[in-house]
Amino acid sequence: MSKQGILIVVSGFSGSGKGTIMKELLKRYDNYALSVSATTRKPREGEADGREYFFKTREEFEKMIAKEELIEYARYVNNYYGTPKAYVEEQLAAGRDVILEIELQGALKIKKKFPQALLLFVTPPSVNELKRRLISRGTESNEVIEQRMKRASEEAEGMEAYDYYVVNDVLDTCVEDVHRIICAEHGRSMRNREFAEMIKKELKGE
């Protein structure tokens, strides 16, 4: 069977818990690698270059675009964000499954460039639960929460582009569900064409 890693794109509403799911996956299993994005925004307190992000100047980032060193990139609130290609390709070749936590716009770009990428969309079990989680953070005003709910409504229009929906109700169950989905993907026929051809040849005595 193929030992090539799978490129996994994880998106979801703000407050769906996708970041927590990714951290738990990395903690429990050693076959996952979380891709670190590049950005032109300034580091926040406690953030380190190469850990949360690769922090770049606008000039450096635009050079990366020109040299096609990014799998995808987008611009949000006057800053660039993108996924460096070299790290992802290196990890996939080593047989590790690479997780990209990005928004719908970037996810669709990646699916176009990498048709075999696995797209997962994380959602709470209900809209009421989504709002409850946003409020319980206690870090955002009512106005910001309403903006996030409006954004979620827009994002929901693109949910059909994803391969699987992951309902984050009980975290432990959700993490194991995601792991099982990815393990099952490794056995999918489209990822193992060479293996199938080898079996056919051996059966024919070639």
Side-chain angles (χ1 to χ4, degrees):
M1 301 286 272
S2 173
K3 291 182 181 177
Q4 175 81 5
I6 296 175
L7 185 60
I8 303 150
V9 176
V10 178
S11 306
F13 307 126
S14 177
S16 63
K18 56 188 180 296
T20 306
I21 294 167
M22 298 309 99
K23 283 174 188 169
E24 278 299 310
L25 271 177
L26 291 168
K27 196 189 297 181
R28 296 183 195 186
Y29 304 101
D30 59 9
N31 194 52
Y32 296 113
L34 187 63
S35 175
V36 179
S37 296
T39 184
T40 56
R41 82 158 170 76
K42 300 294 181 190
R44 292 174 186 152
E45 190 177 341
E47 290 183 333
D49 185 54
R51 189 178 66 197
E52 281 77 18
Y53 287 96
F54 293 113
F55 293 100
K56 304 289 182 183
T57 64
R58 183 173 294 273
E59 185 183 1
E60 286 172 336
F61 198 101
E62 288 176 349
K63 277 183 182 174
M64 291 177 78
I65 295 171
K67 292 179 180 178
E68 298 187 349
E69 292 175 353
L70 298 164
I71 291 176
E72 57 79 34
Y73 69 93
R75 197 170 169 177
Y76 298 103
V77 198
N78 297 322
N79 281 307
Y80 284 118
Y81 294 82
T83 304
K85 190 188 291 183
Y87 174 81
V88 171
E89 290 180 342
E90 177 186 301
Q91 295 296 317
L92 290 173
R96 301 188 81 193
D97 297 323
V98 180
I99 301 169
L100 310 182
E101 187 188 325
I102 51 180
E103 293 190 19
L104 176 70
Q105 184 184 353
L108 296 180
K109 285 180 183 176
I110 284 178
K111 191 67 174 179
K112 196 170 180 180
K113 281 188 181 178
F114 301 89
Q116 289 197 345
L118 173 64
L119 270 58
L120 307 179
F121 193 92
V122 180
T123 174
S126 69
V127 172
N128 285 341
E129 175 61 13
L130 175 63
K131 192 162 189 177
R132 187 197 68 76
R133 290 181 189 180
L134 289 171
I135 292 168
S136 68
R137 285 175 172 178
T139 56
E140 293 161 343
S141 65
N142 288 336
E143 185 183 355
V144 171
I145 289 167
E146 287 308 315
Q147 285 173 356
R148 292 198 183 281
M149 292 300 293
K150 186 181 176 185
R151 173 71 175 156
S153 177
E154 293 165 359
E155 288 171 334
E157 294 301 314
M159 286 174 68
E160 287 81 1
Y162 288 75
D163 299 305
Y164 292 90
Y165 300 142
V166 177
V167 179
N168 185 12
D169 190 358
V170 178
L171 177 64
D172 190 61
T173 304
C174 182
V175 171
E176 293 308 312
D177 285 347
V178 170
H179 180 62
R180 277 194 291 271
I181 288 169
I182 295 166
C183 287
E185 279 294 307
H186 275 279
R188 193 181 277 258
S189 59
M190 72 172 185
R191 300 186 192 279
N192 293 281
R193 299 275 159 77
E194 286 182 17
F195 176 76
E197 289 305 313
M198 181 192 75
I199 292 292
K200 288 177 189 176
K201 284 180 180 178
E202 287 181 2
L203 286 168
K204 290 176 182 175
E206 294 178 12

